[in-house]
Amino acid sequence: MTEPTRYSTPPVELPLRLDPEPAPVEGCAGCGELAAVRGRARVVGDWTTVSDCNVYMRRHPEGH
């Protein structure tokens, strides 16, 4: 078994994502709905939902 760290360690630095938001595919109802939900979430400041919609849209094109 390993010993626990007994001293301060430097913080972990995560990379900053600067990718543009995914664009909905024209004519796709799923993409359109995700874009609409993302837009409504952005208006009310629900950044978790905005982020979730971006993830779903990035994964969604598998069916296109």
Side-chain angles (χ1 to χ4, degrees):
M1 187 161 42
T2 62
E3 284 291 315
T5 303
R6 300 192 189 283
Y7 55 88
S8 295
T9 59
V12 175
E13 291 191 34
L14 301 175
L16 178 63
R17 274 191 87 148
L18 296 175
D19 302 340
E21 285 189 330
V25 174
E26 192 168 329
C28 175
C31 285
E33 181 60 25
L34 285 169
V37 171
R38 180 177 65 185
R40 290 191 299 269
R42 183 176 284 118
V43 168
V44 297
D46 183 358
W47 303 113
T48 301
T49 301
V50 170
S51 177
D52 289 346
C53 288
N54 287 338
V55 170
Y56 293 140
M57 287 178 75
R58 283 189 182 97
R59 292 181 181 173
H60 177 73
E62 295 171 359
H64 293 142

